Amino acid sequence: MTLEWEQVIVDSADPVALGRWWAEALGWVVVNDAADEFEIRPAPDRLPGLLFGTVPEAKTVKNRLHLDFRPQDQRAEVERLLALGARHADVGQGEVTWVTLADPEGNEFCVLSDRRS
């Protein structure tokens, strides 16, 4: 069996706005800018991507799937993401080495501690 991971689908109220936010946050490129299916990737021919689709309902509970990112400088990345419009999120994580944030539509993600060599 051969499977290739194509993309992660993100439900959203405004796929274009949320997709553009994530493109800027990650430094990724837009490969489809349709209003109902907005897709970004690390590079035009590189997978996996994030595809933002429209759903009628608002987010109401903690995501069951979230993304983790490992930066070179956790503090700097958290500050940059907050400046872009992310906010701190409390999902019951307690005292941990990572920072839990939420994107403009409330989807949680984690900024892990700096990688130590």
Side-chain angles (χ1 to χ4, degrees), residues 1-73:
M1 178 176 8
T2 303
L3 291 174
E4 182 175 20
W5 180 8
E6 178 81 16
Q7 58 207 2
V8 172
I9 309 302
V10 180
D11 292 347
S12 57
D14 186 342
V16 173
L18 191 59
R20 288 197 189 287
W21 187 89
W22 275 104
E24 184 168 353
L26 297 173
W28 287 14
V29 298
V30 175
V31 295
N32 181 15
D33 63 358
D36 61 339
E37 284 194 348
F38 191 93
E39 185 179 0
I40 64 173
R41 294 183 185 174
D45 58 350
R46 191 166 153 220
L47 298 173
L50 292 173
L51 185 131
F52 300 86
T54 305
V55 294
E57 68 278 356
K59 181 180 176 304
T60 57
V61 297
K62 175 181 170 285
N63 288 14
R64 296 198 58 177
L65 172 73
H66 72 265
L67 303 174
D68 285 351
F69 301 99
R70 176 137 358 237
Q72 291 183 346
D73 183 336

Side-chain angles (χ1 to χ4, degrees), residues 72-107:
Q72 291 183 346
D73 183 336
Q74 182 188 47
R75 178 176 286 150
E77 274 305 303
V78 168
E79 288 175 9
R80 185 183 72 82
L81 292 164
L82 290 171
L84 287 176
R87 67 183 195 308
H88 286 279
D90 182 355
V91 293
Q93 66 268 25
E95 293 295 320
V96 293
T97 60
W98 60 86
V99 177
T100 304
L101 299 176
D103 70 17
E105 288 199 13
N107 299 297

